[in-house]
Amino acid sequence: MSAIRQQDFIDSIADALQFISYYHPEDYVQSLAAAYRREESPAAKDAMAQILTNSRMCALGKRPICQDTGIVVAFVRVGMEVRWEGVSMSIAEMVNAGVRQAYLDPDNVLRASIVADPAGRRKNTGDNTPAVVHFDIVPGNRIEVDVAAKGGGSENKSRFAMLNPSDDIVEWVVSQLPGMGAGWCPPGQLGIGIGGTAEKAMLLAKEALMQPIDMTELKARGARNRLEELRIEIYDRVNALGIGAQGLGGLTTVLDVKILDYPTHAASKPIALIPNCAATRHVHFMLDGSGVAQFVPPRIEDYPDVHWQPAQDARRVDLGRVTRADIAQWQPGETLLLSGKLLTGRDAAHKRIVDLLAKGEKLPVDVDFNGRFIYYVGPVDPVRDEVVGPAGPTTATRMDKFTETMLAQTGLIGMIGKAERGKVGLEAIKKHAAVYLMAIGGAAYLVSKAIRSAKVVAFADLGMEAIYEFDVQDMPVTVAVDTQGRSVHEIGPAEWKKRIGMIPLTQV
């Protein structure tokens, strides 16, 4: 019988969360590196280079891969022969104590993203608790834990359906991807759950994402059962869509497809789809009474020899002098390097701004958007000599509902975010001859190195959603939507879907 100390469990959860905040799983890095080597789309290849460079930087600097340090999900399996020592908490309470310890660690502070009263005040809990905990009692004398930090951008793209027994699973999955857009930060993985009941299918899909990437090996040896056949077929069909890295168009949209199933009712065919993003973060550990879990970091020399640098022909932009005439010359897909001051703001700040304008009230004194750009970001707090922590973009479509008001009433001329814009956002951008620029999701630490100063200028009570003023130097972005409303997220995937259609799937 193993004796597990409560504090060993808490410390192991905390150490695991710190570990996955700055170390990608090795299988993800190697799989992405292989996709980078075979990618033919310049835009997608550049995006992958930023993600791989960011991954190495985070491993060296021990800072978060992504500014969205996720909602914690833990699968805990407790052996029936385990004996607890010094226990005063439930398993969920112990997990939450570990989350609190990890996210408030002063050496690598992680962003608190969890809000309580989700249908009401949505107040940030301040320490990223509570986690979502699933546990089971199993035979054995040890505890096994799978822990993940799941970003909101990918979680928001989850899908579920109750199919008819005769419906085609592959067709349903493939039909969902275009509507998911790029807000889930491809290239990543798809977790699929089939069977059981509605809640069981969703749980299976989430648990499937904890499995290692092995699609290359699977395709080399061939499928041995129906689920493996489904994995290969979905992988090939999804990549043939041409969505590509960050939705820019390219050969690789998914690195793997993982499926778990469970017996279901004869009248039912529940199916759940949950994507994992470029900031894939999960780890497995075991406790047997010998102490705190140990985590072995990857060797830096095993990282691919990829070191992103901006293209020599990138257009340099002075944010203090840029005009509407200037932005009218920018083309979809063009690389820009931004220097100067820009304001930030995401969901909560936009809601507050729009409410103030609706009442005829003035914006805070330091919030002047006239002729300026806004960056959709909620950064990590700085540590040591940083001016700001990792500060990558958040999903831009969530701001679409506010875009018409922002462009019509504030003098704003441009926005920076992640992934595509929706129909409402595109219409507003075209109407007001504004532009939308895209930064790479999954490259938050790399982006933060372009920020020379940062200060909160309004709505400090919103925490990470406050309005900051950043002073940036050579911040890399791509023109995603030009003043005519043309979107690289429509042009790129359409072009690459056509190109891939002329390539045998076995070569993609």
Side-chain angles (χ1 to χ4, degrees):
M1 180 177 290
S2 299
I4 310 294
R5 294 177 63 247
Q6 174 177 287
Q7 195 59 48
D8 285 346
F9 183 89
I10 293 171
D11 289 344
S12 296
I13 292 288
D15 291 348
L17 291 170
Q18 278 286 312
F19 184 87
I20 64 176
S21 76
Y22 44 76
Y23 290 131
H24 265 127
E26 291 182 67
D27 58 343
Y28 177 84
V29 173
Q30 297 306 319
S31 183
L32 182 61
Y36 168 81
R37 288 189 291 270
R38 64 175 178 265
E39 184 57 66
E40 298 176 13
S41 162
K45 199 173 185 75
D46 183 82
M48 290 185 194
Q50 289 195 45
I51 294 168
L52 288 167
T53 301
N54 184 76
S55 184
R56 176 193 288 268
M57 290 173 62
C58 293
L60 290 169
K62 291 185 168 51
R63 290 295 273 145
I65 294 166
C66 181
Q67 78 288 339
D68 181 353
T69 51
I71 183 170
V72 176
V73 181
F75 291 89
V76 184
R77 292 170 289 279
V78 181
M80 293 179 184
E81 298 174 42
V82 163
R83 177 172 59 85
W84 290 94
E85 285 188 354
V87 173
S88 60
M89 302 177 179
S90 68
I91 289 175
E93 288 171 335
M94 284 189 275
V95 171
N96 286 328
V99 172
R100 190 173 297 113
Q101 183 174 311
Y103 278 71
L104 299 180
D105 187 328
D107 289 330
N108 180 40
V109 63
L110 305 180
R111 196 184 81 180
S113 301
I114 305 306
V115 294
D117 189 17
R121 293 180 62 217
R122 296 182 66 85
K123 182 176 175 57
N124 198 299
T125 62
D127 58 12
N128 221 59
T129 65
V132 177
V133 184
H134 309 282
F135 58 90
D136 197 5
I137 306 299
V138 299
N141 62 352
R142 62 185 187 178
I143 297 173
E144 293 196 41
V145 180
D146 288 304
V147 65
K150 191 68 163 60
S154 60
E155 191 70 6
N156 289 348
K157 302 300 182 179
S158 301
R159 297 288 188 269
F160 173 78
M162 293 298 288
L163 300 182
N164 292 318
S166 61
D167 289 343
D168 190 295
I169 289 171
V170 176
E171 292 299 330
W172 181 82
V173 173
V174 173
S175 74
Q176 298 305 304
L177 265 294
M180 287 163 57
W184 59 280
C185 278
Q189 298 158 260
L190 299 181
I192 297 173
I194 304 170
T197 52
E199 79 281 8
K200 182 65 174 179
M202 293 300 292
L203 190 60
L204 290 169
K206 182 62 64 65
E207 198 165 8
L209 289 173
M210 306 291 183
Q211 298 178 345
I213 296 173
D214 64 351
M215 181 55 71
T216 299
E217 294 84 348
L218 172 59
K219 294 189 78 171
R221 69 165 167 80
R224 294 172 178 166
N225 54 51
R226 179 54 183 151
L227 287 189
E228 290 186 346
E229 291 173 353
L230 284 174
R231 286 179 58 198
I232 293 172
E233 187 175 354
I234 292 170
Y235 171 85
D236 286 339
R237 292 279 303 278
V238 168
N239 282 330
L241 293 172
I243 294 168
Q246 304 292 298
L248 294 169
L251 298 179
T252 301
T253 302
V254 292
L255 300 173
D256 205 342
V257 176
K258 317 303 290 190
I259 304 177
L260 291 176
D261 68 353
Y262 194 85
T264 193
H265 192 284
S268 303
K269 200 181 204 177
I271 182 166
L273 169 64
I274 304 179
N276 230 2
C277 64
T280 293
R281 293 169 297 211
H282 61 87
V283 73
H284 174 88
F285 68 86
M286 179 268 295
L287 297 176
D288 60 5
S290 60
V292 177
Q294 301 298 309
F295 300 95
V296 180
R299 301 189 317 157
I300 294 299
E301 52 266 35
D302 289 338
Y303 278 75
D305 188 20
V306 177
H307 306 273
W308 178 85
Q309 293 292 330
Q312 298 212 345
D313 62 348
R315 185 194 298 260
R316 283 182 155 77
V317 176
D318 183 343
L319 292 171
R321 296 183 178 182
V322 67
T323 67
R324 288 189 179 274
D326 292 329
I327 67 174
Q329 305 303 312
W330 299 351
Q331 300 297 311
E334 184 178 1
T335 300
L336 309 179
L337 296 173
L338 307 180
S339 295
K341 294 182 178 180
L342 55 82
L343 294 168
T344 76
R346 42 177 287 159
D347 310 63
H350 275 75
K351 176 68 165 59
R352 193 169 289 185
I353 289 168
V354 169
D355 287 347
L356 287 172
L357 293 173
K359 296 174 186 175
E361 298 179 10
K362 293 183 178 180
L363 299 183
V365 64
D366 290 325
V367 179
D368 180 3
F369 291 110
N370 191 45
R372 300 183 70 181
F373 283 70
I374 188 170
Y375 182 26
Y376 303 151
V377 61
V380 177
D381 289 343
V383 298
R384 298 181 287 278
D385 60 348
E386 294 177 343
V387 299
V388 70
T394 197
T395 307
T397 50
R398 298 202 312 274
M399 267 49 76
D400 280 352
K401 63 193 281 189
F402 306 113
T403 301
E404 169 62 29
T405 299
M406 292 291 291
L407 294 177
Q409 298 190 40
T410 71
L412 190 72
I413 64 172
M415 300 144 284
I416 307 164
K418 181 182 77 175
E420 74 285 346
R421 301 307 296 257
K423 181 181 178 182
V424 171
L426 288 171
E427 289 175 350
I429 291 167
K430 182 178 180 180
K431 175 182 175 182
H432 295 281
V435 290
Y436 166 62
L437 313 177
M438 187 197 81
I440 299 300
Y445 197 38
L446 174 65
V447 171
S448 73
K449 295 306 181 183
I451 302 170
R452 300 306 185 220
S453 69
K455 63 178 180 179
V456 174
V457 294
F459 310 153
D461 61 298
L462 295 180
M464 62 92 175
E465 295 207 63
I467 295 180
Y468 289 74
E469 183 178 68
F470 287 169
D471 191 351
V472 302
Q473 182 176 333
D474 289 344
M475 176 179 170
V477 294
T478 299
V479 179
V481 182
D482 68 4
T483 55
Q484 299 176 50
R486 295 179 300 177
S487 171
V488 73
H489 289 99
E490 295 176 354
I491 298 168
E495 175 188 346
W496 282 92
K497 181 179 182 180
K498 184 177 179 180
R499 290 195 190 191
I500 293 169
M502 296 182 285
I503 306 171
L505 284 178
T506 55
Q507 297 178 24
V508 176

